[in-house]
Amino acid sequence: DLIYEAAENYSKILPIRIDFHLSSSVGLEVDRQDFVDYWHAMQNNMRRNQRFEHLITYIAKLEYGYNRGWHMHMLLLFDGQKIKDDYSLSSDIGEYWNQVVESKKLHEGSYYACNMAKKRYDQCALKMISSSYALNQIKNNTNAYTDLHALIDTTEYLTKIDQNTENYLAEQGLKRKPRTIFF
């Protein structure tokens, strides 16, 4: 719904897909609340940060991996009429994450910007999307597979139930499962 809403309101959409990670710089364990606190700090700062001036919307998912610990997968949609360079923007956003995390001097941030490695993907949906063209294709042929559909298919990874996270939360004995999807 977020993607279709963006497509109806913006003639071009530029998706940015990035993963955020944490590690401890002083030997502290990185827990879920640490990650959420950093995410909220970044989220609050996004409103005043020029990098995000043309941000349409985003969706983020917090996951736990037994090898990686807590990490976040994120998709940001920008106004493609205003932003053209996804490579530089994804790098800037990743470096901004690192600054937010490292400002507290307890953890180190790292990131993986999928837009900087598009050749690794067989079917890459991380490209400028002409919303008006895609919506027109759908209107004329309900079975048409458009760039919007490819982006939605790619985004399903963000909203899937992650078994490692489910297992970890169960091991922690939590009676109520915490929020893992943010938008």
Side-chain angles (χ1 to χ4, degrees):
D1 289 345
L2 286 174
I3 292 171
Y4 276 116
E5 186 178 326
E8 289 171 359
N9 292 303
Y10 294 86
S11 62
K12 290 184 179 179
I13 298 171
L14 185 64
I16 302 289
R17 179 63 182 80
I18 193 164
D19 298 337
F20 296 132
H21 310 103
L22 281 180
S23 60
S24 176
S25 59
V26 292
L28 296 173
E29 181 179 335
V30 177
D31 65 17
R32 180 190 173 282
Q33 193 57 50
D34 290 332
F35 211 105
V36 170
D37 290 346
Y38 289 121
W39 163 241
H40 285 311
M42 181 175 171
Q43 188 181 31
N44 289 336
N45 293 339
M46 286 167 59
R47 295 182 189 108
R48 298 179 300 280
N49 190 298
Q50 190 173 357
R51 288 175 186 92
F52 302 98
E53 180 180 1
H54 301 292
L55 177 66
I56 299 169
T57 191
Y58 64 85
I59 185 167
K61 180 165 184 207
L62 185 60
E63 285 185 358
Y64 183 84
Y66 286 100
N67 292 333
R68 184 57 120 153
W70 288 106
H71 58 282
M72 181 175 275
H73 301 284
M74 187 168 195
L75 175 72
L76 304 103
L77 301 180
F78 285 87
D79 181 350
Q81 291 290 359
K82 308 285 185 187
I83 304 290
K84 307 289 185 219
D85 184 4
D86 62 323
Y87 187 94
S88 295
L89 182 58
S90 62
S91 174
D92 285 349
I93 292 169
E95 291 302 319
Y96 183 61
W97 165 255
N98 291 349
Q99 290 171 12
V100 168
V101 170
E102 292 167 10
S103 68
K104 296 191 181 191
K105 298 181 179 23
L106 295 174
H107 298 95
E108 294 174 352
S110 63
Y111 67 93
Y112 177 78
C114 301
N115 292 65
M116 296 174 68
K118 291 181 197 176
K119 293 181 182 189
R120 294 186 61 195
Y121 304 99
D122 293 333
Q123 294 182 330
C124 185
L126 301 175
K127 59 185 174 183
M128 186 70 73
I129 296 173
S130 172
S131 306
S132 50
Y133 178 74
L135 291 173
N136 193 38
Q137 282 184 302
I138 295 166
K139 181 180 173 186
N140 292 329
N141 178 0
T142 56
N143 294 324
Y145 188 80
T146 68
D147 289 343
L148 286 176
H149 292 106
L151 182 59
I152 289 167
D153 287 348
T154 300
T155 306
E156 286 180 354
Y157 177 77
L158 293 175
T159 57
K160 71 176 175 46
I161 295 172
D162 180 68
Q163 198 57 52
N164 284 341
T165 304
E166 293 283 320
N167 293 343
Y168 180 79
L169 293 172
E171 289 169 11
Q172 300 303 306
L174 298 174
K175 294 188 186 337
R176 196 174 129 238
K177 293 190 177 149
R179 182 176 177 190
T180 58
I181 295 180
F182 303 87
F183 51 94

mmCIF file of all heavy atoms in Angstrom, residues 1 3-4 75 125 129 145-157 159:
data_model
loop_
_atom_site.group_PDB
_atom_site.id
_atom_site.type_symbol
_atom_site.label_atom_id
_atom_site.label_comp_id
_atom_site.label_asym_id
_atom_site.label_seq_id
_atom_site.Cartn_x
_atom_site.Cartn_y
_atom_site.Cartn_z
ATOM 1 N N ASP A 1 0.824 -1.203 0.000
ATOM 2 C CA ASP A 1 0.000 0.000 0.000
ATOM 3 C C ASP A 1 0.863 1.260 0.000
ATOM 4 O O ASP A 1 0.530 2.233 -0.672
ATOM 5 C CB ASP A 1 -0.935 0.001 1.203
ATOM 6 C CG ASP A 1 -2.052 -1.042 1.074
ATOM 7 O OD1 ASP A 1 -2.283 -1.561 -0.045
ATOM 8 O OD2 ASP A 1 -2.676 -1.336 2.098
ATOM 9 N N ILE A 3 3.785 1.634 -1.301
ATOM 10 C CA ILE A 3 4.384 1.813 -2.624
ATOM 11 C C ILE A 3 3.353 2.338 -3.617
ATOM 12 O O ILE A 3 3.628 3.276 -4.372
ATOM 13 C CB ILE A 3 5.029 0.494 -3.106
ATOM 14 C CG1 ILE A 3 6.245 0.181 -2.225
ATOM 15 C CG2 ILE A 3 5.425 0.582 -4.578
ATOM 16 C CD1 ILE A 3 6.851 -1.180 -2.436
ATOM 17 N N TYR A 4 2.157 1.776 -3.608
ATOM 18 C CA TYR A 4 1.114 2.275 -4.507
ATOM 19 C C TYR A 4 0.718 3.718 -4.167
ATOM 20 O O TYR A 4 0.501 4.531 -5.065
ATOM 21 C CB TYR A 4 -0.118 1.370 -4.470
ATOM 22 C CG TYR A 4 0.002 0.189 -5.397
ATOM 23 C CD1 TYR A 4 0.027 -1.098 -4.893
ATOM 24 C CD2 TYR A 4 0.100 0.368 -6.773
ATOM 25 C CE1 TYR A 4 0.144 -2.188 -5.745
ATOM 26 C CE2 TYR A 4 0.219 -0.717 -7.627
ATOM 27 C CZ TYR A 4 0.243 -1.992 -7.107
ATOM 28 O OH TYR A 4 0.365 -3.069 -7.950
ATOM 29 N N LEU A 75 13.882 0.097 3.538
ATOM 30 C CA LEU A 75 13.592 0.595 2.196
ATOM 31 C C LEU A 75 13.078 2.020 2.345
ATOM 32 O O LEU A 75 12.130 2.268 3.099
ATOM 33 C CB LEU A 75 12.534 -0.262 1.500
ATOM 34 C CG LEU A 75 12.093 0.264 0.135
ATOM 35 C CD1 LEU A 75 13.208 0.053 -0.899
ATOM 36 C CD2 LEU A 75 10.816 -0.416 -0.318
ATOM 37 N N ALA A 125 15.311 -4.319 -8.461
ATOM 38 C CA ALA A 125 14.216 -3.348 -8.495
ATOM 39 C C ALA A 125 14.671 -1.984 -7.979
ATOM 40 O O ALA A 125 13.857 -1.080 -7.849
ATOM 41 C CB ALA A 125 13.053 -3.857 -7.657
ATOM 42 N N ILE A 129 11.876 4.524 -10.870
ATOM 43 C CA ILE A 129 10.611 3.955 -11.317
ATOM 44 C C ILE A 129 9.714 5.090 -11.809
ATOM 45 O O ILE A 129 9.460 6.045 -11.074
ATOM 46 C CB ILE A 129 9.909 3.191 -10.173
ATOM 47 C CG1 ILE A 129 10.766 1.995 -9.762
ATOM 48 C CG2 ILE A 129 8.509 2.762 -10.578
ATOM 49 C CD1 ILE A 129 10.269 1.264 -8.534
ATOM 50 N N TYR A 145 3.210 -6.928 -15.450
ATOM 51 C CA TYR A 145 4.201 -6.938 -14.376
ATOM 52 C C TYR A 145 5.094 -5.718 -14.577
ATOM 53 O O TYR A 145 5.854 -5.640 -15.533
ATOM 54 C CB TYR A 145 5.019 -8.234 -14.395
ATOM 55 C CG TYR A 145 5.915 -8.369 -13.192
ATOM 56 C CD1 TYR A 145 5.396 -8.806 -11.977
ATOM 57 C CD2 TYR A 145 7.265 -8.053 -13.248
ATOM 58 C CE1 TYR A 145 6.202 -8.934 -10.852
ATOM 59 C CE2 TYR A 145 8.075 -8.178 -12.137
ATOM 60 C CZ TYR A 145 7.538 -8.614 -10.947
ATOM 61 O OH TYR A 145 8.333 -8.735 -9.834
ATOM 62 N N THR A 146 4.990 -4.762 -13.672
ATOM 63 C CA THR A 146 5.674 -3.480 -13.823
ATOM 64 C C THR A 146 6.836 -3.358 -12.838
ATOM 65 O O THR A 146 7.025 -4.210 -11.968
ATOM 66 C CB THR A 146 4.688 -2.326 -13.566
ATOM 67 O OG1 THR A 146 4.331 -2.349 -12.179
ATOM 68 C CG2 THR A 146 3.442 -2.446 -14.432
ATOM 69 N N ASP A 147 7.558 -2.248 -12.959
ATOM 70 C CA ASP A 147 8.628 -1.953 -12.002
ATOM 71 C C ASP A 147 8.070 -1.816 -10.579
ATOM 72 O O ASP A 147 8.749 -2.135 -9.610
ATOM 73 C CB ASP A 147 9.358 -0.665 -12.386
ATOM 74 C CG ASP A 147 10.216 -0.829 -13.632
ATOM 75 O OD1 ASP A 147 10.506 -1.985 -14.015
ATOM 76 O OD2 ASP A 147 10.594 0.199 -14.224
ATOM 77 N N LEU A 148 6.828 -1.348 -10.460
ATOM 78 C CA LEU A 148 6.197 -1.267 -9.134
ATOM 79 C C LEU A 148 6.013 -2.664 -8.546
ATOM 80 O O LEU A 148 6.264 -2.880 -7.360
ATOM 81 C CB LEU A 148 4.841 -0.573 -9.214
ATOM 82 C CG LEU A 148 4.845 0.929 -9.404
ATOM 83 C CD1 LEU A 148 3.422 1.453 -9.566
ATOM 84 C CD2 LEU A 148 5.540 1.625 -8.258
ATOM 85 N N HIS A 149 5.579 -3.604 -9.367
ATOM 86 C CA HIS A 149 5.423 -4.988 -8.898
ATOM 87 C C HIS A 149 6.774 -5.568 -8.480
ATOM 88 O O HIS A 149 6.865 -6.268 -7.471
ATOM 89 C CB HIS A 149 4.788 -5.866 -9.980
ATOM 90 C CG HIS A 149 3.371 -5.511 -10.270
ATOM 91 N ND1 HIS A 149 2.999 -4.856 -11.407
ATOM 92 C CD2 HIS A 149 2.243 -5.720 -9.542
ATOM 93 C CE1 HIS A 149 1.694 -4.677 -11.386
ATOM 94 N NE2 HIS A 149 1.200 -5.187 -10.270
ATOM 95 N N ALA A 150 7.810 -5.286 -9.262
ATOM 96 C CA ALA A 150 9.148 -5.792 -8.923
ATOM 97 C C ALA A 150 9.605 -5.225 -7.579
ATOM 98 O O ALA A 150 10.177 -5.949 -6.757
ATOM 99 C CB ALA A 150 10.139 -5.425 -10.026
ATOM 100 N N LEU A 151 9.319 -3.946 -7.339
ATOM 101 C CA LEU A 151 9.687 -3.330 -6.063
ATOM 102 C C LEU A 151 8.893 -3.955 -4.908
ATOM 103 O O LEU A 151 9.445 -4.233 -3.852
ATOM 104 C CB LEU A 151 9.469 -1.821 -6.112
ATOM 105 C CG LEU A 151 9.865 -1.049 -4.857
ATOM 106 C CD1 LEU A 151 11.347 -1.248 -4.529
ATOM 107 C CD2 LEU A 151 9.552 0.428 -5.036
ATOM 108 N N ILE A 152 7.623 -4.202 -5.132
ATOM 109 C CA ILE A 152 6.797 -4.843 -4.101
ATOM 110 C C ILE A 152 7.315 -6.243 -3.805
ATOM 111 O O ILE A 152 7.427 -6.638 -2.644
ATOM 112 C CB ILE A 152 5.313 -4.861 -4.529
ATOM 113 C CG1 ILE A 152 4.753 -3.443 -4.480
ATOM 114 C CG2 ILE A 152 4.502 -5.809 -3.649
ATOM 115 C CD1 ILE A 152 3.419 -3.267 -5.165
ATOM 116 N N ASP A 153 7.653 -6.995 -4.839
ATOM 117 C CA ASP A 153 8.204 -8.342 -4.634
ATOM 118 C C ASP A 153 9.492 -8.277 -3.815
ATOM 119 O O ASP A 153 9.712 -9.086 -2.914
ATOM 120 C CB ASP A 153 8.470 -9.034 -5.973
ATOM 121 C CG ASP A 153 7.197 -9.466 -6.672
ATOM 122 O OD1 ASP A 153 6.118 -9.446 -6.037
ATOM 123 O OD2 ASP A 153 7.278 -9.805 -7.868
ATOM 124 N N THR A 154 10.335 -7.323 -4.122
ATOM 125 C CA THR A 154 11.587 -7.147 -3.384
ATOM 126 C C THR A 154 11.310 -6.769 -1.934
ATOM 127 O O THR A 154 11.987 -7.227 -1.019
ATOM 128 C CB THR A 154 12.447 -6.053 -4.060
ATOM 129 O OG1 THR A 154 12.718 -6.458 -5.393
ATOM 130 C CG2 THR A 154 13.738 -5.821 -3.322
ATOM 131 N N THR A 155 10.294 -5.959 -1.733
ATOM 132 C CA THR A 155 9.957 -5.468 -0.404
ATOM 133 C C THR A 155 9.375 -6.556 0.491
ATOM 134 O O THR A 155 9.443 -6.458 1.710
ATOM 135 C CB THR A 155 8.968 -4.287 -0.528
ATOM 136 O OG1 THR A 155 9.554 -3.325 -1.392
ATOM 137 C CG2 THR A 155 8.704 -3.648 0.807
ATOM 138 N N GLU A 156 8.824 -7.588 -0.088
ATOM 139 C CA GLU A 156 8.253 -8.668 0.718
ATOM 140 C C GLU A 156 9.279 -9.253 1.684
ATOM 141 O O GLU A 156 8.939 -9.749 2.748
ATOM 142 C CB GLU A 156 7.657 -9.748 -0.172
ATOM 143 C CG GLU A 156 6.351 -9.317 -0.800
ATOM 144 C CD GLU A 156 5.737 -10.372 -1.690
ATOM 145 O OE1 GLU A 156 6.369 -11.428 -1.929
ATOM 146 O OE2 GLU A 156 4.617 -10.136 -2.156
ATOM 147 N N TYR A 157 10.547 -9.178 1.320
ATOM 148 C CA TYR A 157 11.619 -9.642 2.206
ATOM 149 C C TYR A 157 11.581 -8.893 3.540
ATOM 150 O O TYR A 157 11.853 -9.459 4.583
ATOM 151 C CB TYR A 157 12.974 -9.453 1.522
ATOM 152 C CG TYR A 157 14.140 -9.841 2.394
ATOM 153 C CD1 TYR A 157 14.455 -11.175 2.590
ATOM 154 C CD2 TYR A 157 14.927 -8.884 3.025
ATOM 155 C CE1 TYR A 157 15.522 -11.541 3.389
ATOM 156 C CE2 TYR A 157 15.990 -9.237 3.829
ATOM 157 C CZ TYR A 157 16.285 -10.572 4.004
ATOM 158 O OH TYR A 157 17.331 -10.938 4.799
ATOM 159 N N THR A 159 8.985 -7.694 5.098
ATOM 160 C CA THR A 159 7.813 -7.937 5.937
ATOM 161 C C THR A 159 7.590 -9.413 6.265
ATOM 162 O O THR A 159 6.643 -9.745 6.960
ATOM 163 C CB THR A 159 6.552 -7.378 5.250
ATOM 164 O OG1 THR A 159 6.411 -7.971 3.962
ATOM 165 C CG2 THR A 159 6.638 -5.869 5.123
#
